[in-house]
């Protein structure tokens, strides 16, 4: 028997869910000799879309999370979204799921119910779960009755999977079959897995954005949509006035949508050379005039614009960070 555990909390040392999982793992792995694998979703937050691949050849899963203030938390939600988008729905139909939801505030029962409903809609088989409110982690860990309850519920999960127990049909499953629509692209499970890998690849996604912006710039030029560099001297003045000298030598090229030549910025110690021209630079950034205007008035930074996807870049990340230090806007 193979069971996977997916932990959707933040990994805090005082998280009662971690203690509960420790007890569950002891029963399954040590006492019942189950093949057990645990995935801490917060450690793989950049690869969440690939996690449904790990559901292959499993008999059961434990979805564990902590309600800290409202709901099951973002990591678990993202994982369930990935299961819906990229998971093999046929595989889910034979996978049992036990929810484990502990709360330090309120809402553990609602959280467990939410996980059950989600798994039913995915086509899986939900089992009785564990949920509880923990006010003091020390008293919770030292309570033998609580430990006994956790052990017995874990044993019930093992029995349920071993005997392939079935439950009565639910409205969630019926509604899921009635309203589920095929994906916009008719993908096989293998193609869905490959797509999920692409989605989780930041470099691939960033490159796609850069290629789209480059194509848009080309088409804009062909349609006569570019503007002459005259009338854009304000940018040169803004960068010159906001320059903060530093003991560095670096060159930047900012491709601004609608302007036919990049804004070249050369820094050599206390000297700055700022003009429009197609010159090779250490760092190339592509952004819209609106985003650049937001940066110049101090509402955004270059690094923040890149993080939000409002600017694409080519070059070392250190030069992006340096750009915000060399030019301090909004003061």
């Amino acid at each position: 028997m193979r069971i996977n555990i997916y932990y959707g909390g933040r990994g805090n040392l005082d998280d009662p869910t971690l203690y509960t999982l420790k007890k569950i793992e002891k029963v399954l792995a040590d006492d019942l000799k189950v093949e057990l694998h645990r995935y801490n979703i917060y450690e793989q937050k950049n690869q969440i879309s690939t996690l449904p691949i790990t559901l292959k050849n499993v008999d059961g899963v434990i979805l564990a999370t902590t309600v800290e203030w409202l709901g099951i938390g973002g990591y678990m939600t993202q994982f369930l979204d990935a299961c819906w988008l990229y998971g093999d729905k046929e595989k889910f139909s034979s996978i049992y799921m036990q929810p484990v939801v502990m709360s330090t505030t309120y809402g553990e029962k609602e959280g467990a119910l939410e996980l059950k409903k989600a798994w039913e809609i995915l086509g899986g088989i939900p089992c009785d779960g564990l949920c509880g409110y923990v006010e003091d982690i020390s008293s919770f860990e030292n309570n033998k009755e609580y430990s006994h309850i956790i052990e017995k519920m874990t044993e019930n999960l093992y029995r349920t999977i071993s005997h392939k127990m079935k439950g009565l049909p639910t409205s969630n499953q019926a509604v899921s079959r009635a309203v589920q629509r095929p994906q916009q692209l008719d993908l096989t499970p293998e193609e869905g897995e490959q797509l999920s890998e692409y989605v989780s690849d930041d470099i691939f996604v960033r490159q796609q954005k850069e290629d789209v912006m480059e194509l848009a710039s080309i088409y804009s030029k062909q349609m006569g949509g570019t503007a002459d560099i005259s009338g854009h001297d304000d940018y040169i003045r803004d960068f010159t006035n906001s320059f903060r000298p530093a003991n560095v030598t670096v060159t930047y090229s900012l491709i601004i949508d609608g302007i036919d030549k990049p804004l070249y910025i050369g820094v050599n110690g206390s000297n700055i050379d700022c003009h429009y021209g197609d010159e090779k630079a250490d760092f190339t950034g592509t952004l819209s005039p609106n985003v650049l205007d937001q940066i110049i008035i101090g509402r955004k930074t270059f690094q923040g614009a890149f993080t939000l996807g409002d600017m694409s870049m080519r070059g070392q990340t250190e030069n992006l960070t340096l750009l915000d230090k060399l030019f301090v806007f909004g003061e």
Side-chain angles (χ1 to χ4, degrees):
M1 183 186 298
R2 179 179 176 181
I3 296 177
N4 285 359
I5 297 175
Y6 298 90
Y7 168 65
R10 295 188 295 127
N12 295 335
L13 293 177
D14 59 348
D15 188 344
T17 305
L18 291 176
Y19 168 76
T20 305
L21 288 180
K22 184 178 178 181
K23 300 291 292 184
I24 291 173
E25 289 170 337
K26 183 180 183 304
V27 174
L28 290 175
D30 297 345
D31 300 341
L32 301 175
K33 307 303 179 184
V34 171
E35 182 182 348
L36 197 63
H37 298 273
R38 179 165 134 190
Y39 298 90
N40 295 324
I41 303 177
Y42 71 90
E43 294 178 348
Q44 305 185 50
K45 56 186 177 182
N46 294 327
Q47 290 84 36
I48 291 179
S49 58
T50 65
L51 282 179
I53 299 174
T54 62
L55 289 166
K56 279 187 173 182
N57 304 318
V58 301
D59 301 296
V61 299
I62 295 174
L63 300 184
T65 191
T66 307
V67 177
E68 294 182 330
W69 73 284
L70 180 66
I72 61 175
Y75 293 137
M76 183 59 71
T77 301
Q78 290 180 58
F79 170 67
L80 291 171
D81 284 346
C83 288
W84 175 259
L85 293 171
Y86 310 116
D88 187 346
K89 303 299 191 302
E90 293 183 3
K91 295 287 185 182
F92 289 135
S93 62
S94 61
I95 300 177
Y96 292 82
M97 187 280 295
Q98 181 183 62
V100 175
V101 182
M102 310 306 291
S103 170
T104 57
T105 53
Y106 172 81
E108 68 281 355
K109 291 184 178 180
E110 290 80 359
L113 181 60
E114 187 174 352
L115 291 177
K116 280 188 174 183
K117 290 192 297 184
W119 199 253
E120 284 180 337
I121 293 174
L122 286 170
I125 310 168
C127 305
D128 291 336
L130 277 166
C131 61
Y133 166 71
V134 178
E135 184 176 8
D136 179 65
I137 185 64
S138 297
S139 60
F140 177 70
E141 293 179 355
N142 294 324
N143 192 305
K144 294 183 179 180
E145 291 184 359
Y146 295 159
S147 297
H148 181 71
I149 292 173
I150 295 172
E151 291 171 359
K152 289 303 177 183
M153 291 298 294
T154 306
E155 292 171 359
N156 287 341
L157 172 65
Y158 178 83
R159 294 189 189 96
T160 300
I161 298 175
S162 297
H163 296 291
K164 302 294 182 184
M165 294 181 181
K166 300 294 183 181
L168 294 173
T170 66
S171 58
N172 285 334
Q173 293 170 335
V175 170
S176 176
R177 290 192 297 269
V179 304
Q180 183 175 345
R181 297 289 184 267
Q183 293 183 354
Q184 202 168 21
L185 297 175
D186 189 13
L187 302 176
T188 65
E190 291 76 15
E191 290 171 335
E193 290 177 4
Q194 187 176 24
L195 178 60
S196 71
E197 292 177 359
Y198 284 139
V199 170
S200 67
D201 188 339
D202 291 338
I203 297 176
F204 174 81
V205 174
R206 193 179 307 157
Q207 183 64 50
Q208 294 302 300
K209 289 182 179 180
E210 291 177 0
D211 291 344
V212 169
M213 295 185 75
E214 186 175 346
L215 286 172
S217 178
I218 293 173
Y219 288 132
S220 179
K221 290 180 180 179
Q222 291 178 349
M223 297 297 292
T226 57
D228 189 81
I229 60 175
S230 59
H232 294 281
D233 292 340
D234 288 347
Y235 289 143
I236 296 177
R237 184 171 59 254
D238 291 330
F239 275 89
T240 302
N241 294 338
S242 302
F243 176 55
R244 298 294 184 269
N247 188 25
V248 295
T249 300
V250 63
T251 55
Y252 294 94
S253 180
L254 297 181
I255 301 174
I256 307 168
D257 296 343
I259 301 179
D260 57 358
K261 288 187 178 182
L263 178 62
Y264 175 85
I265 306 167
V267 175
N268 186 2
S270 60
N271 299 319
I272 179 174
D273 177 17
C274 191
H275 63 269
Y276 290 97
D278 295 304
E279 300 182 35
K280 187 176 181 181
D282 301 320
F283 178 95
T284 301
T286 304
L287 69 172
S288 68
N290 180 54
V291 173
L292 183 55
D293 291 341
Q294 293 291 311
I295 294 173
I296 288 174
I297 64 177
R299 292 186 177 178
K300 285 186 178 181
T301 63
F302 286 103
Q303 193 166 9
F306 171 73
T307 302
L308 293 174
D310 294 332
M311 183 182 83
S312 62
M313 58 160 276
R314 290 181 182 176
Q316 296 182 354
T317 308
E318 292 80 1
N319 288 334
L320 174 64
T321 305
L322 182 60
L323 186 58
D324 284 318
K325 296 179 180 179
L326 290 173
F327 301 95
V328 181
F329 297 103
E331 291 187 347

